[in-house]
Amino acid sequence: QIQLTESGGGSKQAGESLTLSCVAETGIDYYCMGWFRQVPGKEREGVACHDSGGMALYADPVKGRIFQSQDNAKATVYLHINNLKPEDTAIYFCAARRGTCSGCELSQRWYHYYGQGTQVTVSS
């Protein structure tokens, strides 16, 4: 079991930048990490992930504006969002999959654990 805690959400204006953090209680060395977001009434969608080799995958709607990074020593994964848009408004969730991985997926089923989420609200 791994406990994930997100932070860094808040209210922003369109065009601003934001960095979300996800701290893993037991470390992330043996997990593959990703980020999802969800708008009320819609399915949770994957936005970013990293495999064990550091190769990243980003969803097409956010490609070029969203970047995932991680600091294994701090057991922390980050999601950097640039040029925020109102459509980025959502609850953002950190996700973890047990084990190492070659490649990663943006499918909910691929991950074993999720955090509680942090709200991001972007106004125009």
Side-chain angles (χ1 to χ4, degrees):
Q1 188 80 16
I2 181 172
Q3 183 171 340
L4 304 171
T5 303
E6 302 94 337
S7 63
S11 296
K12 290 285 189 178
Q13 295 288 323
E16 293 183 332
S17 298
L18 183 71
T19 295
L20 305 178
S21 300
C22 169
V23 178
E25 185 182 44
T26 55
I28 58 175
D29 289 355
Y30 301 104
Y31 292 87
C32 295
M33 306 299 295
W35 284 91
F36 285 73
R37 66 185 183 184
Q38 188 170 22
V39 174
K42 293 189 177 181
E43 285 195 12
R44 193 172 295 188
E45 65 169 349
V47 294
C49 62
H50 264 186
D51 73 2
S52 300
M55 184 174 294
L57 178 66
Y58 299 103
D60 286 342
V62 302
K63 200 171 291 184
R65 296 192 300 115
I66 285 186
F67 302 92
Q68 178 174 323
S69 65
Q70 61 188 63
D71 185 337
N72 286 36
K74 295 182 178 180
T76 301
V77 183
Y78 304 96
L79 187 70
H80 312 276
I81 312 174
N82 299 317
N83 189 22
L84 282 160
K85 300 180 179 182
E87 51 264 41
D88 293 325
T89 296
I91 300 175
Y92 285 74
F93 299 88
C94 179
R97 175 183 171 88
R98 290 189 303 268
T100 57
C101 56
S102 177
C104 60
E105 295 185 17
L106 297 177
S107 168
Q108 288 189 69
R109 299 178 182 177
W110 198 71
Y111 296 86
H112 298 115
Y113 307 105
Y114 286 87
Q116 294 298 308
T118 184
Q119 174 72 48
V120 173
T121 303
V122 184
S123 55
S124 56

